[in-house]
Amino acid sequence: MRKAFAITAAMAAALATAGCVIVVDGSEGEVKMRHGDRTQDGYVVLDRDGDYSRIGGNINLRGRLGGDLSLVAGDVEADRLMVGGDVSVAGGDIDFTGQVGGEASIAGGDIDWTADVGGELSLAAGSLDVSGDIAGPASIAAASLTSSAQFNDGLNANGNAIHLGGSVSGPLRIVSVGEIRSRRNYDDNDGRVELTGAIHDGGDICSRSVVVTSTARISGTLRVWAETSPDVTPGARAGNLVFVPRNGRDCEDVDPVFDRS
């Protein structure tokens, strides 16, 4: 679902449009304009089986939607929102709790995601906290990433500082600081990957440093390319941990698994 990261290209033009509501509802796919949705405590409360699309302004939603949700907005808050179809959101700060039956494609500034997803999940953010049960493959890009989610079909994550809790089943690929720049002053968190949860099928990590905490449970072979050997805390179950010195090389140069071409 690469469309997640294409949404942001249209955001600037879309935000110039007035905050109308476009709803596709019913089996005939009829397009209607609706301005009379019920509101409660500053939230639009949905209870319908069709699709819901909105452009412009800040958006607060609750309730139930049987179809797809599409938003291009300022800040978005979805509180215990149950969506039966797909979700696409491009906005500023995004706080989403609830459930998505299909795929979810989210791009924003600061994102708090606490929702189960029945399909693929794509998240792009500056700062990201993610939790929930994710059934499909997940692709995440964030400067600062903290996860306590359960990924059931693999995870592809890119970021500057990554804290990975929860669990990952399936393919795991992590890149933190893909390029080592000799003239940059790094702090301790730049390019740092901290593992605190369960990794069930091994995987590949390219970073500056890796910390395996005492709560980490790693099965399978986890290959780590880093500037220093992983710091494994007593009590951790590190499985078959293979360390390869990175020696200042870019991630795409250390192994084909990190080649983005």
Side-chain angles (χ1 to χ4, degrees), residues 41 152 164 167 181 190 197 204-206 209 213 215 243 252 261:
D41 300 327
N152 296 298
L164 184 61
S167 65
R181 300 176 182 175
D190 288 334
D204 300 284
I205 297 175
C206 182
S209 63
T213 71
T215 59
F243 168 62
E252 61 185 21
S261 62

Side-chain angles (χ1 to χ4, degrees), residues 49-243:
D49 294 323
D51 300 336
Y52 184 91
S53 300
R54 181 168 166 179
I55 300 173
N58 297 331
I59 300 174
N60 298 330
L61 296 175
R62 283 179 178 158
R64 180 195 68 85
L65 182 67
D68 297 339
L69 174 68
S70 179
L71 305 175
V72 180
D75 294 340
V76 175
E77 184 170 349
D79 178 42
R80 294 166 292 172
L81 184 63
M82 312 299 288
V83 180
D86 297 339
V87 171
S88 297
V89 180
D93 294 341
I94 300 170
D95 189 346
F96 195 110
T97 66
Q99 183 173 332
V100 178
E103 301 178 351
S105 176
I106 316 296
D110 293 343
I111 298 178
D112 287 318
W113 181 270
T114 308
D116 297 341
V117 180
E120 184 177 352
L121 174 65
S122 297
L123 292 167
S127 175
L128 172 64
D129 283 276
V130 55
S131 60
D133 190 274
I134 314 303
S139 297
I140 294 176
S144 175
L145 165 62
T146 299
S147 173
S148 57
Q150 287 72 52
F151 298 103
N152 296 298
D153 193 16
L155 171 64
N156 184 358
N158 290 265
N160 183 55
I162 297 175
H163 180 115
L164 184 61
S167 65
V168 180
S169 297
L172 172 65
R173 175 187 176 276
I174 295 176
V175 172
S176 184
V177 180
E179 298 181 0
I180 299 294
R181 300 176 182 175
S182 59
R183 296 184 180 180
R184 177 176 171 181
N185 293 322
Y186 296 95
D187 66 31
D188 290 342
N189 289 322
D190 288 334
R192 175 187 172 108
V193 176
E194 185 175 8
L195 305 176
T196 64
I199 297 173
H200 295 294
D201 300 297
D204 300 284
I205 297 175
C206 182
S207 64
R208 287 185 65 241
S209 63
V210 172
V211 176
V212 184
T213 71
S214 61
T215 59
R217 301 292 182 263
I218 300 172
S219 302
T221 299
L222 182 65
R223 301 191 299 169
V224 173
W225 287 260
E227 292 299 287
T228 58
S229 179
D231 180 3
V232 181
T233 305
R237 298 177 187 172
N240 184 21
L241 186 61
V242 177
F243 168 62

